[in-house]
Amino acid sequence: MAENIDFSIQNLWQDVRELSLGAPPNIDRLPSPPTPLEFLRRYVAPNKPCLISAAVPHWPALSLWPSTNYLRTTLSTTPVSLHLTPTGKADALAPHPSAPSTLCFASAHVETLPFPQALDSVFASDNEKNKVAYLQQQNDCFRREYGALAADCEDHVPWATAALGCAPEAVNFWVGNNSSETSFHKDHYENLYVVITGEKRFLLLPPTDFHRTYVREYPAAKYLYHQDSGEFSLELEDPATNVPWCSVDPYPSPQEKRREMEKFPLYFNGPKPFEVSVKAGEMLYLPSMWFHHVRQIPDDARLTIAINYWYDMQFDVKYAYFNFLQSIPYTLSKDPSLCKLRNGEAHLDISSCNSGTQVSRDTRGVGDDEND
């Protein structure tokens, strides 16, 4: 019975790509924004991403925000939330502070600084080996902290608002460089993500690939930055809490690659994630519950700036269906001889290979984060 379930789930991974995204599967690129009806029918209802090329040509932000002088002047006295980590990976897995052979879920250290000083810290990340700064507060930070920039863009995406029947629940502002990286996670929002300067590179997995992300429970911890020593410490949350989080790093170091491929064969040997590069002036529609990993490439001014709109998702039959799928434990064979490495790459019968453990079940909030 378990083997039949496993086989059905494997088929689903490929079927979703072919039925929803075409054969060969691809992410649609639209030359301009769709009509509300087209957006609802072709993308929201089937839970399908799309990339829009000339998404916001009328926004003053496209010409104004690449100028750091403009940003510094407009936000000269504005206090903003700056996130600091030693690696550039906030809201991600890190070695456990008291048991380094295991992992915990680490959140960033957050400081409130005037924007010009915070921006200097982002620039300094290029040269500091163990301190990466990223402006990525979320929680509607654009309207809460960056209101002085409101006239440079729209307070909502008109055609998306018409299609979804509501205003965005939150609008967020992001300023960073190539030192920051976002681990795999998913959000319970319809996400319209606009890059203003630089480039964002997304890896995307549909919600049906849940089992391939190896969601597991990790103890929650938080970085603390010590100004006197310039060092970070990592402290567990008190009271202790656990966070369900995706275990897979899609870009392991050469030293770790073989071990990671052996630990997570469903990811490394299943269908490849979709790769989407979002450049200045482009918008990515990222449907609710899609897993995404994000890297960024700065512009000539050494920055990547973006704004995104979170619209609340409909907890309808799609949500119920995916929760049902994610509640199914995916049991893998205990026979390690079925896992083989050929020329440094893993090859296996994906239905019958691994350590005999079950891939974790999902709950609302599993692998959810907003660190993009």
Side-chain angles (χ1 to χ4, degrees), residues 5 21 42 73 81 94 132 151 166 169 172 177 187 193 230 240 251 265 269 305 339 343-344 353 356 361 363-364:
I5 292 175
L21 299 168
R42 292 185 57 189
T73 300
S81 301
V132 177
C166 61
E169 185 170 303
N172 302 311
N177 60 18
D187 304 312
Y193 203 99
Y251 299 109
N269 294 273
I305 302 176
C339 277
N343 301 321
C353 174
R361 299 186 179 191
T363 60
R364 192 189 195 289

Side-chain angles (χ1 to χ4, degrees), residues 120-362:
D120 288 340
S121 294
V122 174
F123 282 126
S125 299
D126 289 339
N127 301 315
E128 297 189 49
K129 292 183 178 179
N130 300 311
K131 180 185 174 186
V132 177
Y134 191 18
L135 290 163
Q136 53 121 63
Q137 175 64 13
Q138 302 123 69
N139 300 320
D140 204 26
C141 71
F142 185 71
R143 294 187 287 206
R144 293 173 182 268
E145 297 186 355
Y146 299 92
L149 299 175
D152 299 340
C153 57
E154 294 172 300
D155 60 0
H156 70 122
V157 182
W159 47 269
T161 298
L164 298 169
C166 61
E169 185 170 303
V171 184
N172 302 311
F173 186 63
W174 317 79
V175 182
N177 60 18
N178 60 357
S179 299
S180 296
E181 182 177 316
T182 302
S183 61
F184 263 124
H185 68 282
K186 65 182 177 65
D187 304 312
H188 287 80
Y189 290 101
E190 306 289 356
N191 191 350
L192 279 300
Y193 203 99
V194 184
V195 173
I196 304 300
T197 72
E199 180 179 341
K200 295 271 187 172
R201 293 186 174 178
F202 287 77
L203 292 181
L204 305 180
L205 288 174
T208 44
D209 284 31
F210 163 79
H211 297 93
R212 300 180 59 215
T213 65
Y214 292 83
V215 173
R216 294 170 180 165
E217 297 271 343
Y218 295 95
K222 192 167 188 175
Y223 286 113
L224 294 178
Y225 180 67
H226 305 281
Q227 295 282 355
D228 53 345
S229 64
E231 300 290 333
F232 285 89
S233 62
L234 186 58
E235 297 187 2
L236 295 177
E237 297 282 0
D238 185 17
T241 57
N242 287 331
V243 176
W245 202 252
C246 303
S247 304
V248 173
D249 178 359
Y251 299 109
S253 68
Q255 298 80 5
E256 295 291 324
K257 185 173 182 180
R258 182 187 180 97
R259 187 174 70 90
E260 292 294 294
M261 294 176 75
E262 290 175 340
K263 284 171 59 179
F264 307 120
L266 296 183
Y267 175 81
F268 287 102
N269 294 273
K272 290 184 177 181
F274 297 97
E275 299 184 37
V276 182
S277 293
V278 187
K279 300 179 180 180
E282 296 182 334
M283 175 188 291
L284 174 66
Y285 165 56
L286 181 59
S288 57
M289 299 186 294
W290 273 67
F291 291 93
H292 49 290
H293 179 283
V294 191
R295 285 177 157 183
Q296 47 193 14
I297 299 175
D299 63 1
D300 293 340
R302 297 160 46 214
L303 292 177
T304 302
I305 302 176
I307 185 171
N308 84 294
Y309 301 81
W310 275 334
Y311 288 82
D312 201 13
M313 66 171 284
Q314 294 295 315
F315 292 90
D316 54 14
V317 65
K318 294 196 301 292
Y319 178 72
Y321 167 73
F322 289 129
N323 270 355
F324 168 72
L325 173 69
Q326 293 161 5
S327 73
I328 300 173
Y330 190 105
T331 305
L332 303 166
S333 170
K334 297 180 181 179
D335 184 357
S337 68
L338 294 172
C339 277
K340 298 179 181 179
L341 287 172
R342 301 176 193 159
N343 301 321
E345 299 293 330
H347 296 266
L348 65 156
D349 175 358
I350 202 168
S351 66
S352 55
C353 174
N354 208 325
S355 60
T357 59
Q358 291 184 348
V359 178
S360 303
R361 299 186 179 191
D362 191 26

Side-chain angles (χ1 to χ4, degrees), residues 28-40:
D28 287 354
R29 176 182 284 272
L30 309 181
S32 58
T35 66
L37 184 58
E38 179 187 13
F39 179 58
L40 187 60

